[in-house]
Amino acid sequence: MTPRRTGRRPGNPDTRDAILAAARTAFADRGFDATSIRMIATAAGVDPALVHHYFGSKDQLFRATVDIPVDPGELLPAVLVGARDEVGARLVRLFLGVWDSPAGAGAVAVLRSAATNEWTARLVREFLVTQVLRRVLDHLDMAPDELPLRGSLVASQMIGLAMMRYVIRLEPVASADPETLVAALGPTVQRYLTGDLG
Amino acid sequence: MTPRRTGRRPGNPDTRDAILAAARTAFADRGFDATSIRMIATAAGVDPALVHHYFGSKDQLFRATVDIPVDPGELLPAVLVGARDEVGARLVRLFLGVWDSPAGAGAVAVLRSAATNEWTARLVREFLVTQVLRRVLDHLDMAPDELPLRGSLVASQMIGLAMMRYVIRLEPVASADPETLVAALGPTVQRYLTGDLG
């Protein structure tokens, strides 16, 4: 098999689908960290090089399984540098920028699905921990034993914002201008990241 | 028709179901405030007295449509009296007490349904506003123009907590002891209720 390097061709849809299905199962069952491209290739009955060809890196393949069109690894660094006491506000602003954009419709669909499908819930959990929270927390130089609680508190506020703004659509959060929400929620996220949790 | 006052008999299941279906439609379409027992009775083709007989008050009928087994009108007053600067912590504690209890399974089911069903989402929205937030905010003597934003911010944190603890089950929020979460989230809810929102 000679994988092409263009990455533009969709390839054989059956093969792509088989790889995606194997990846979903593996990531949901074993978690992101314990899953390798090689395991997924074996489960799908293809060569690992073909997985890389179709999907790129393990991060990219994982994002494809949850159908999330943005790459937190590209977006997050810009908000994690700069004044440490405003990282909460910058994170809320970035979050709203993505979810309010056309890409947000896909994120809302994933959130809806996670609410009713245990597998999607597991994938979302893995996505939050490995693609978002780990990157945020790595930049903030905190006590490692505090990271999980701080990360999951941030996730609780952000996912709650997404539920109220895009799914349950409770006003005025549903149609508030982003900066109103940045002012209201920024200090919450800031405290969860760097403040005293009692 | 002579309604019995015991309230124990299930009555004719078809009639009850017809009333519930009419109530769901009316509450979701018109909202709680603009819906009357009389309208629901007319839509279901029954006498209003029969609606009262089967379901009690409009509040009780509404709770039956969303299948929520607790009455915020009974639970909330106890946490709304007392030191005003700890009402956030008391609300988080009450919320966890209900959702961690056997009654919580019903609430989680409603939340899952609201994520994928527009009608349930509308009913949850009405429930939050009329059964929960209105009662909380009425007790706190705030500027009326601030009430909707403050209420929907509280809802965003509480629903996010429910999503993370019971649906997506992100650790350690999923299995943290309640007082850890009260300490972490209480100040957030307190600020949304009574603090400076920027």
Side-chain angles (χ1 to χ4, degrees):
Chain A
M1 226 169 274
T2 325
R4 290 161 182 270
R5 301 292 307 160
T6 70
R8 292 218 205 101
R9 287 167 179 250
N12 181 332
D14 290 343
T15 306
R16 281 181 58 92
D17 288 351
I19 294 169
L20 264 184
R24 277 197 196 95
T25 304
F27 286 135
D29 271 358
R30 313 172 58 96
F32 177 81
D33 292 329
T35 298
S36 68
I37 292 273
R38 180 166 296 277
M39 284 175 193
I40 292 166
T42 303
V46 302
D47 190 275
L50 196 64
V51 178
H52 285 295
H53 169 61
Y54 281 152
F55 294 100
S57 67
K58 187 170 94 166
D59 273 320
Q60 289 170 310
L61 172 57
F62 179 48
R63 286 204 309 279
T65 66
V66 283
D67 207 13
I68 289 179
V70 298
D71 178 1
E74 280 182 14
L75 297 172
L76 283 170
V79 305
L80 297 175
V81 298
R84 183 185 160 97
D85 62 353
E86 283 168 14
V87 68
R90 292 198 301 273
L91 273 172
V92 175
R93 189 175 291 119
L94 171 63
F95 183 89
L96 289 168
V98 170
W99 287 67
D100 282 355
S101 80
V108 174
V110 172
L111 180 59
R112 289 180 192 276
S113 172
T116 49
N117 183 294
E118 169 60 22
W119 268 28
T120 311
R122 288 192 206 179
L123 291 172
V124 166
R125 200 160 64 215
E126 286 294 304
F127 180 82
L128 285 169
V129 170
T130 66
Q131 306 296 300
V132 181
L133 297 175
R134 190 176 290 173
R135 290 194 168 96
V136 173
L137 298 169
D138 279 353
H139 271 75
L140 296 178
D141 189 26
M142 288 178 300
D145 61 331
E146 295 181 350
L147 298 188
L149 180 60
R150 291 186 184 278
S152 58
L153 290 171
V154 172
S156 79
Q157 177 58 88
M158 301 300 244
I159 293 297
L161 171 61
M163 284 293 292
M164 283 302 141
R165 187 166 173 90
Y166 309 105
V167 177
I168 296 181
R169 291 203 290 276
L170 183 67
E171 293 294 353
V173 161
S175 51
D177 77 280
E179 285 306 312
T180 298
L181 298 174
V182 169
L185 300 174
T188 299
V189 174
Q190 184 72 40
R191 179 171 154 271
Y192 292 162
L193 288 173
T194 65
D196 176 14
L197 298 180
Chain B
M1 227 166 275
T2 325
R4 289 160 183 270
R5 301 294 302 162
T6 68
R8 291 219 206 101
R9 287 166 179 250
N12 181 331
D14 290 345
T15 305
R16 280 180 58 91
D17 287 351
I19 294 169
L20 264 186
R24 275 195 197 98
T25 304
F27 287 134
D29 271 358
R30 313 171 60 95
F32 178 82
D33 293 328
T35 298
S36 67
I37 292 275
R38 180 166 295 276
M39 285 176 193
I40 292 166
T42 302
V46 303
D47 190 276
L50 196 64
V51 179
H52 285 295
H53 168 62
Y54 281 152
F55 294 99
S57 67
K58 186 170 94 166
D59 272 321
Q60 289 170 311
L61 172 57
F62 179 47
R63 284 205 310 278
T65 66
V66 281
D67 207 13
I68 289 180
V70 298
D71 178 1
E74 280 181 14
L75 297 172
L76 283 170
V79 304
L80 298 173
V81 298
R84 181 186 161 96
D85 62 352
E86 284 170 12
V87 69
R90 292 197 301 274
L91 274 172
V92 176
R93 191 175 288 119
L94 170 64
F95 183 89
L96 288 169
V98 170
W99 286 68
D100 282 355
S101 80
V108 174
V110 172
L111 180 58
R112 288 180 192 277
S113 172
T116 49
N117 183 294
E118 169 59 23
W119 269 28
T120 311
R122 287 192 206 180
L123 291 171
V124 167
R125 200 161 62 215
E126 285 295 305
F127 180 83
L128 285 170
V129 170
T130 66
Q131 307 296 300
V132 180
L133 298 175
R134 190 177 290 172
R135 289 193 169 97
V136 173
L137 298 169
D138 278 354
H139 271 76
L140 296 179
D141 189 28
M142 287 179 299
D145 61 333
E146 295 181 352
L147 298 188
L149 180 60
R150 290 185 184 279
S152 56
L153 290 172
V154 172
S156 79
Q157 177 59 88
M158 301 301 243
I159 294 296
L161 171 60
M163 284 293 291
M164 283 300 141
R165 188 166 172 89
Y166 309 106
V167 177
I168 295 180
R169 292 203 288 277
L170 183 66
E171 294 293 354
V173 160
S175 50
D177 77 282
E179 286 306 312
T180 299
L181 298 173
V182 168
L185 299 173
T188 299
V189 174
Q190 184 72 38
R191 178 170 155 270
Y192 291 162
L193 288 172
T194 65
D196 176 13
L197 298 179

